[in-house]
């Protein structure tokens, strides 16, 4: 049948006209200090009428907020264009300049909207040659433990109009002005390959500048730059390693239009701080007796401090940090406290998180308090670290794993780590001082992660499924710190395999493009000339020789492709095209027959191990396919054909060796062997039903239980639900006995685990994202929400809900670039009520496998398996008789 369109007769005659809202620049709201010369501008259309869409737009950019519509910087013509992503093409942007912009749109009737609210973006240095500050430090010795203070007093003699602080650091920093900590970010700047790219952050400090005498202060931490803990990843031997350094430009603009820049140089004073040890990997030690009150104020006497020294810049590429920052996002009070003995207290925060604790305590001066953070308890009630310290290789006992050490001053002390985070649920506080009297009020915890906006929601009639979605998000966020990690305690590494597995899970629930674009830049920094990428990114050099086959480091292709699908933005493909092509070419060089055994394979399976050559060759096929698709989108037809031919060669090689075309079995028919070819499109079209049937049979033969590892987990639910076996997929997803996700939930999990076996002797971190594909599948496999590759960014939404038998209700919501998409269904007897919301300026193709369907009370005939029911913007209700 033909595509079905809801007629525009449904439009409400008195509805409000379209209004552009949610204006963003570079996917951020009114960002400060961006460096890109052509920022991307986006908006949404607020219009509740059915069929509402944009037929044209006009953008205005100005440096005067009161005269935006004059558009003296950029004023487009009325552009007949339905999309809401536009790249700036006006006059060359100047550094240190605030630009205001607005958009006007025209609706489906050709009527103009009012001008949108005014948004802004402000440029930073734009060119690193504009920096005036010198890179300074306090010393050159990497073995010095205490973190250094820096300060500078300065005078203002005129009225201040505005002030900006630009700060770059090799290491981590906290910035202060006149005694106030600037901003609410944590762990700035984000971790990069420091000798190849260094990030700087911009702050509006206008309110903190006072007339007359002022003081700026910086506290510097080690971060990944000066790694003083020793573990198997060799970060303590990183080629960039040095004593932390900083560069600051404090640019003040006066009311008379003149400017003054207070910059870091050797006139700045420095001293050691009470942060006597800090390690991003282990913990932080603090001696409150060494505090220098008011060190960051103008009245402080720094005559006993020494002068800073000049240091070379850590890299030649100092660029703006344009992404959602790390913050203390959620505060948690303990749910219980157990006083084990006179010197030991154990706090339980009720859930596993990444983050820090805050101790408020008064005790005798010199009293040492130790705070041990862990995920589980020993039988005696004390904190057990044995599941998370496996890769730590300490050289002595002065740097205990995940143990903050605080020495009290005798006053009311407050301590929260500044340059560290941990993974934990429990905190054991110990002290040799028997006079301490702790209560639950003495300790708070903070869930800390990249503060990405939530854009998705799942709710169902199955409480275990809802808890699983929540736990998956907890693990995803616990592993988002300016780059995706594997776990927040044992490693904190940017494992590429975990990253590619979880990318859809993240993008369905969170607006994560800024984090992923930063991480892809890390990929470009780490790629060798021959195309090889390491298994962990960023890296000190570890990971180029192990674990970095196509099943892991396909991140270089899979993540840009998913960003394109979710945001409709070609830039991630443009930025990484040469890198993904170079990566595929390297695999071709080492695997000229189309098959490769380079990779880790189906990591940590339940019991059965599938051939590495099969899974790695499939990822090679995926990468070649993505390069071909990207070449087509970027106007490179010859390369599109070249890599399409390569993908076909790989596909044929895989199927010739592993597929029995008579039976539809891949290899020996293991779950991963059947699921991964289905998931990634390797199976010939005429054999998909056979391969899917064998997968379903294999699941039944395995007791309706999972028998997959990391790669199989990504594939199995999708392979089943997309090929007629959604009920089997739901059986696996909702199962509550071992091995399953639900088994974890039934055993108290608030995050996802690293191993199906809770009692495993190794690989048993309790906060891993590697098995997290189920978070995405809830949106895809039950809610049916998918991007249309032909109209990406949810310009057209694919809705393929699966009304599985043993679930009575499912609501899935995702806010894409055009607005909120809702796919919600509930069962009442033999009738399913399916409600759909399509945001303004987009459409949907709805696929329902039933012959008895009513749409908004009107019977409709059947369904089209290729095009579905084509819906315009609006709210719709389907009634489906099973």
């Amino acid at each position: 049948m033909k595509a079905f369109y809801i007629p525009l007769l449904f439009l409400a005659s008195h509805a409000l006209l379209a209004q552009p809202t949610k204006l963003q620049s570079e996917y951020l709201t009114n960002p400060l200090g961006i460096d890109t010369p052509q920022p991307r501008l986006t908006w949404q259309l607020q219009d509740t009428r059915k069929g509402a869409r944009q037929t044209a737009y006009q953008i205005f950019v100005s440096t005067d907020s009161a005269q935006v519509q004059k558009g003296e910087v950029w004023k487009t013509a009325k552009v007949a264009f339905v999309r809401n992503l536009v790249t700036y093409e006006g006059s060359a942007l100047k550094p240190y300049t605030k630009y205001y912009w607005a958009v006007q749109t025209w609706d489906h009737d050709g009527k103009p909207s009012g001008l949108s609210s005014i948004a802004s973006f402000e440029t930073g240095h734009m060119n690193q040659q504009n920096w005036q500050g010198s890179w300074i430090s306090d010393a050159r010795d990497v073995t010095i433990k205490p973190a250094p203070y820096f300060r500078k007093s300065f005078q203002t003699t005129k009225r201040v109009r505005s002030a900006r602080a630009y700060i770059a650091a090799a290491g981590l920093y906290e910035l202060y002005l006149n005694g106030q900590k600037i901003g609410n970010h944590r762990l700035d700047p984000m971790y990069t390959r420091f000798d190849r790219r260094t990030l700087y952050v911009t702050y509006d400090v206008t309110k903190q500048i006072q007339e007359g005498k002022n003081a700026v202060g910086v506290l510097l931490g080690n971060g990944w730059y000066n790694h003083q803990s020793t573990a198997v990843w060799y970060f303590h031997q990183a080629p960039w390693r040095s004593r932390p350094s900083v560069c600051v430009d404090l640019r003040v603009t006066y009311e008379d239009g003149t400017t003054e820049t207070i910059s870091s140089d050797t006139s700045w004073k420095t001293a050691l701080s009470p942060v006597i040890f800090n390690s991003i990997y282990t913990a932080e030690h603090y001696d409150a007796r060494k505090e220098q009150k008011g060190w960051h104020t103008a009245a402080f006497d720094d005559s006993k401090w020494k002068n800073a020294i000049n240091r070379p810049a850590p890299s030649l590429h100092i660029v703006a940090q344009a992404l959602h920052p790390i913050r203390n996002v959620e505060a948690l009070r303990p749910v219980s406290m157990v006083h084990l003995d006179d010197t030991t207290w154990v706090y339980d925060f009720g859930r596993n998180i990444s983050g820090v604790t805050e101790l408020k305590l008064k005790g005798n001066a010199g009293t040492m308090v130790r705070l041990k953070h862990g995920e589980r308890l020993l039988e005696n009630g004390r904190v057990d670290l044995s599941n998370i310290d496996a890769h730590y290789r300490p050289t002595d006992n002065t740097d205990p794993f995940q143990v903050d050490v605080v020495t009290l001053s005798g006053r009311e002390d407050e301590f929260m780590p500044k340059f560290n985070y941990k993974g934990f649920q429990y905190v054991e506080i110990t002290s040799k001082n028997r006079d301490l009297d702790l209560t639950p009020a003495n300790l708070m915890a903070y869930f800390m992660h990249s503060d990405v906006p939530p854009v998705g929601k799942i709710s169902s009639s199955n409480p275990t499924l809802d808890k699983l979605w929540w736990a998956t998000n907890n693990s995803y966020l616990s592993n988002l710190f300016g780059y995706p990690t594997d776990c927040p305690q044992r490693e904190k590494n940017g494992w590429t395999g975990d990253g590619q597995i979880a990318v859809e899970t993240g993008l369905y629930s969170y607006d994560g493009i800024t984090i992923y674009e930063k991480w892809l830049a890390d990929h470009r920094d780490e790629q060798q000339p021959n195309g090889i990428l390491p298994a962990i990114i960023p890296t000190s050099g570890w990971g180029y020789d192990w674990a970095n086959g196509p099943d892991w480091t396909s991140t270089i292709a899979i993540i840009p492709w998913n960003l394109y699908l979710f945001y409709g933005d070609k830039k991630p493909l443009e930025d990484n095209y040469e890198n993904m092509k170079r990566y595929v070419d390297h695999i071709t060089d080492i695997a000229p027959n189309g098959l490769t055994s380079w990779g880790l394979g189906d990591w940590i399976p339940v019991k059965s191990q599938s051939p590495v050559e099969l899974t790695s060759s499939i990822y090679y096929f995926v990468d070649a396919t993505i390069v071909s698709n990207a070449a087509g989108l970027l106007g490179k037809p010859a390369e599109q054909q070249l890599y399409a031919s390569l993908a076909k060669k790989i596909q044929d090689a895989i199927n010739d060796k592993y597929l029995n075309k008579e039976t539809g079995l891949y290899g020996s028919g293991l779950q991963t062997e059947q699921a991964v070819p289905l998931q990634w499109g390797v199976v010939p079209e005429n054999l998909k039903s056979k391969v899917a049937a064998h997968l379903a049979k294999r699941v039944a033969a395995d007791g309706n239980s999972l028998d997959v590892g990391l790669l199989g987990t990504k594939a199995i639910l999708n392979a089943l639900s997309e090929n007629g076996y959604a009920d089997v997929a739901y059986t696996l997803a909702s199962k509550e006995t071992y091995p399953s996700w639900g088994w974890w939930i039934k055993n108290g999990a608030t995050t996802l685990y690293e191993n199906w076996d809770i009692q495993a002797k190794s690989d048993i971190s309790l906060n891993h994202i590697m098995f997290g594909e189920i978070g995405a599948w809830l949106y895809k496999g039950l809610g049916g929400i998918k991007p249309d590759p032909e109209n990406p960014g949810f310009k057209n939404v694919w809705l393929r809900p699966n009304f599985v038998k043993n679930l009575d209700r499912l609501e899935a919501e995702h806010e894409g670039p055009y607005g909120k998409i809702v796919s919600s269904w509930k069962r009442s007897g033999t009738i399913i009520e399916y409600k759909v919301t399509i945001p303004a300026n987009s459409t949907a193709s709805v696929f329902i496998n039933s012959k008895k369907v009513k749409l908004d009370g009107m019977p409709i005939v059947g369904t089209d398996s290729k095009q579905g029911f084509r819906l315009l913007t609006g709210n719709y209700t389907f009634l489906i008789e099973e």
Side-chain angles (χ1 to χ4, degrees), residues 605-808:
V606 175
K607 61 179 187 290
S608 301
Q609 186 68 59
S610 299
V612 173
E613 185 181 65
L614 173 61
T615 52
S616 285
S617 298
I618 288 173
Y619 274 93
Y620 175 29
F621 162 79
V622 171
D623 295 343
T625 302
I626 290 173
V627 172
S628 175
N629 291 339
L633 292 166
L634 300 177
K636 302 174 186 290
E639 293 188 353
Q640 179 184 17
Q641 182 56 48
L642 175 67
Y643 287 96
S645 298
L646 174 61
K648 183 64 167 62
K649 174 184 174 180
I650 301 165
Q651 181 183 20
D652 290 345
I654 293 168
N655 289 332
D656 287 346
K657 181 168 182 178
Y658 286 98
L659 173 61
N660 184 322
K661 297 179 175 63
E662 296 299 321
T663 64
L665 280 174
Y666 277 85
S668 57
L670 298 175
Q671 290 183 24
T672 293
E673 290 177 308
Q674 297 297 105
V676 174
L678 277 169
Q679 152 86 9
W680 293 110
V682 173
V683 181
E685 193 68 34
N686 64 327
L687 291 176
K688 282 185 177 180
S689 59
K690 274 190 176 183
V691 176
H694 278 297
L695 174 59
K697 289 176 184 176
R698 182 68 192 218
V699 170
D702 289 327
N704 287 316
S705 293
L706 291 167
D707 183 21
V708 291
L710 181 144
L711 303 179
T713 305
K714 173 71 178 177
I716 190 166
L717 299 180
N718 301 305
L720 289 165
S721 60
E722 291 171 5
N723 291 281
Y725 296 94
D727 287 320
V728 178
Y730 179 70
T731 297
L732 294 175
S734 61
K735 191 177 178 67
E736 297 178 0
T737 56
Y738 173 82
S740 69
W741 296 275
W743 172 240
W744 297 338
I745 299 299
K746 284 298 181 181
N747 280 273
T750 58
T751 47
L752 302 188
Y753 293 172
E754 186 188 13
N755 203 311
W756 298 111
D757 183 1
I758 298 172
Q759 304 302 323
K761 299 301 182 184
S762 63
D763 301 317
I764 190 55
S765 152
L766 302 186
N767 196 348
H768 252 68
I769 192 55
M770 59 188 269
F771 291 133
E773 167 63 14
I774 190 168
W777 179 80
L778 295 173
Y779 293 93
K780 294 184 289 182
L782 297 181
I785 300 174
K786 295 181 181 181
D788 177 355
E790 297 299 320
N791 293 278
F794 298 97
K795 178 62 182 165
N796 183 59
V797 185
W798 280 354
L799 293 175
R800 298 178 182 269
N802 285 300
F803 312 122
V804 293
K805 294 176 182 177
N806 295 319
L807 189 67
D808 292 330

Side-chain angles (χ1 to χ4, degrees), residues 204-397:
D204 182 349
V205 293
T206 307
K207 293 181 180 179
Q208 284 77 26
I209 295 285
Q210 55 197 27
E211 199 167 324
K213 197 172 182 182
N214 293 265
V216 57
V218 176
L219 175 63
L220 272 189
N222 289 319
W224 295 96
Y225 184 68
N226 184 34
H227 208 283
Q228 294 180 315
S229 300
T230 48
V232 300
W233 320 108
Y234 301 111
F235 283 104
H236 64 291
Q237 297 177 1
W240 59 70
R241 186 180 172 192
S242 189
R243 180 73 169 160
S245 57
V246 68
C247 185
V248 180
D249 278 352
L250 178 57
R251 192 171 191 271
V252 181
T253 302
Y254 296 104
E255 289 286 0
D256 63 6
T258 61
T259 62
E260 179 183 8
T261 302
I262 296 90
S263 297
S264 50
D265 58 26
T266 56
S267 70
W268 285 44
K269 293 296 193 73
T270 182
L272 297 179
S273 77
V275 180
I276 58 175
F277 176 80
N278 68 99
S279 168
I280 190 71
Y281 184 65
T282 56
E284 193 161 304
H285 306 172
Y286 190 83
D287 189 340
R289 298 170 301 177
K290 297 179 181 292
E291 290 178 353
Q292 298 191 51
K293 295 293 184 181
W295 69 272
H296 35 38
T297 63
F300 183 78
D301 180 6
D302 61 13
S303 59
K304 294 183 180 179
W305 288 27
K306 68 177 184 178
N307 287 80
I309 61 173
N310 279 328
R311 290 285 302 282
S315 77
L316 298 178
H317 195 37
I318 316 293
V319 297
Q321 178 174 295
L323 68 160
H324 290 104
I326 298 167
R327 292 191 176 101
N328 286 353
V329 177
E330 185 178 355
L332 282 75
R333 297 186 183 278
V335 298
S336 69
M337 184 198 77
V338 178
H339 191 184
L340 291 180
D341 56 42
D342 289 346
T343 61
T344 308
W345 297 259
V346 175
Y347 290 75
D348 179 0
F349 287 94
R351 54 189 280 211
N352 201 336
I353 63 168
S354 60
V356 293
T357 50
E358 181 181 41
L359 177 71
K360 295 182 179 181
L361 184 63
K362 183 176 182 180
N364 295 331
T367 297
M368 189 174 290
V369 180
R370 297 164 66 91
L371 297 88
K372 181 191 292 187
H373 300 71
E375 296 184 316
R376 61 187 191 182
L377 300 178
L378 297 165
E379 290 184 3
N380 63 9
R382 303 189 73 148
V383 168
D384 176 14
L385 297 180
S386 64
N387 69 315
I388 55 174
D389 63 0
H391 299 305
Y392 184 35
R393 302 291 184 268
T395 57
D396 55 38
N397 62 358

